[in-house]
């Protein structure tokens, strides 16, 4: 969680490293400015593609999240991850529990959470190592 890295740049708190192949989807301008993809030296892709090391998407509805996870899951590298941000507002239609539930449907599990400013909460998803085992 972000509390473990007080004062660290957002890109570092999210685990984004120089040279990492990353795709961002529906990212608000303010979050993009905080991540500073150019300064963090990640390789920002214009579209998600096979071998993707990290993806970061913003969602406000479960149906949108399900579509994105279904499309991204086969493209993520075995050691890759997906950050999903949902509105922090308690009255939001999409909550962290919904993100975790959608992730499970697509063979992924929650690994971490991070506050993204005051408007968004990020949930880090990774491939479930037990998915597919009997």
């Amino acid at each position: 969680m972000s509390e473990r890295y007080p004062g660290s740049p957002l890109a570092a708190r999210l685990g984004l490293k120089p040279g990492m192949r990353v795709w961002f989807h529906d990212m608000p301008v303010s979050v993009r400015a905080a991540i500073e993809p150019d300064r963090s030296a990640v390789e920002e892709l214009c579209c998600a593609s096979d071998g993707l090391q990290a993806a970061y998407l913003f969602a406000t509805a479960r149906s949108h999240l399900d579509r994105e996870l279904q499309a991204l899951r086969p493209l993520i590298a075995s050691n890759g991850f997906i950050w999903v941000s949902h509105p922090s507002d308690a009255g939001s239609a999409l909550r962290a529990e919904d993100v975790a539930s959608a992730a499970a449907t697509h063979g992924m599990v929650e690994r971490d959470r991070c506050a993204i400013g005051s408007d968004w909460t990020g949930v880090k998803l990774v491939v479930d190592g037990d998915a597919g085992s009997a």
Side-chain angles (χ1 to χ4, degrees):
M1 294 206 189
S2 61
E3 293 79 22
R4 291 186 297 186
Y5 309 102
S8 296
L10 183 55
R13 292 191 332 242
L14 297 174
L16 303 179
K17 297 180 175 126
M20 187 177 270
R21 294 170 33 99
V22 181
W23 178 67
F24 301 112
H25 181 61
D26 288 343
M27 180 178 286
V29 173
S30 61
V31 176
R32 182 174 188 70
I35 290 177
E36 300 179 294
D38 294 335
R39 238 178 113 193
S40 60
V42 297
E43 180 184 342
E44 184 177 357
L45 305 176
C46 61
C47 61
S49 60
D50 194 37
L52 189 61
Q53 294 170 298
Y56 193 176
L57 61 103
F58 288 74
T60 57
R62 171 75 188 250
S63 59
H64 174 242
L65 177 59
D66 277 323
R67 282 192 309 274
E68 294 300 330
L69 290 179
Q70 182 175 11
L72 283 171
R73 173 63 179 84
L75 301 177
I76 292 292
S78 60
N79 63 346
F81 55 87
I82 299 171
W83 276 98
V84 175
S85 275
H86 61 88
S88 295
D89 180 4
S92 170
L94 188 64
R95 299 178 323 268
E97 297 77 24
D98 301 317
V99 174
S101 174
T105 301
H106 299 287
M108 302 187 85
V109 294
E110 178 181 336
R111 184 65 63 214
D112 205 352
R113 291 188 190 183
C114 180
I116 310 298
S118 60
D119 298 327
W120 297 93
T121 298
V123 179
K124 183 179 185 179
L125 306 176
V126 296
V127 174
D128 184 356
D130 293 331
S133 61

